[in-house]
Amino acid sequence: MSDPNRKPDDERVRQNARSDLSADLFLGAGAGSGKTNLLVDRYLHILESERARPGQIVAVTFTTRAAAEMRGRLREACRSRAATDPTGRWQQLARELELAPIDTIHGLCTRILRESALAARLDPSFRVLEDTEA
């Protein structure tokens, strides 16, 4: 379904955001504007172009729900492509996706700190306080 308020330039900008891999992308827009769809399309474009693997792409969203939705959509897209891929490449990408850094800013920071706990002089078994505890 197309948005009657969308200008022709909007679609050009969206297509460019999906396929121009010459720079990192920060996407800020309102709820329901299609951010997750665009990020999934861009992520898939990166995989299709073989410029990176899932563990090399950092996708940060604002909410845990959006991160889970993005991971789910990517998983389904990879599985769909795997069904017609005789090389097994998309099946392997689907497996790698399970450990890919697709998370919130808090989740990403926690992951980085856990992976570098000793260098950061942190107890590797640290836990992040819940809002009510903090």
Side-chain angles (χ1 to χ4, degrees), residues 25 43 46 53-60 70 100-103 108 112:
L25 175 68
Y43 199 108
I46 293 168
R53 304 211 45 110
Q56 300 169 312
I57 304 167
V58 177
V60 181
M70 185 174 178
I102 301 170
D103 212 333
L108 179 64
I112 291 168

Side-chain angles (χ1 to χ4, degrees), residues 104-123:
T104 62
I105 189 68
H106 291 89
L108 179 64
C109 290
T110 300
R111 179 184 183 133
I112 291 168
L113 287 173
R114 285 210 190 285
E115 291 173 356
S116 306
L118 297 178
R121 296 190 174 138
L122 292 173
D123 179 348

Side-chain angles (χ1 to χ4, degrees), residues 35-89:
K35 293 181 300 293
T36 302
N37 282 334
L38 189 126
L39 289 173
V40 167
D41 289 349
R42 182 175 172 88
Y43 199 108
L44 289 170
H45 184 76
I46 293 168
L47 294 179
E48 287 166 350
S49 70
E50 299 187 25
R51 288 184 57 154
R53 304 211 45 110
Q56 300 169 312
I57 304 167
V58 177
V60 181
T61 64
F62 189 71
T63 66
T64 304
R65 180 178 171 205
E69 186 175 330
M70 185 174 178
R71 186 181 301 277
R73 290 183 192 182
L74 287 166
R75 181 183 304 116
E76 288 306 310
C78 285
R79 288 180 179 162
S80 174
R81 285 166 172 78
T84 58
D85 174 24
T87 69
R89 178 175 175 271

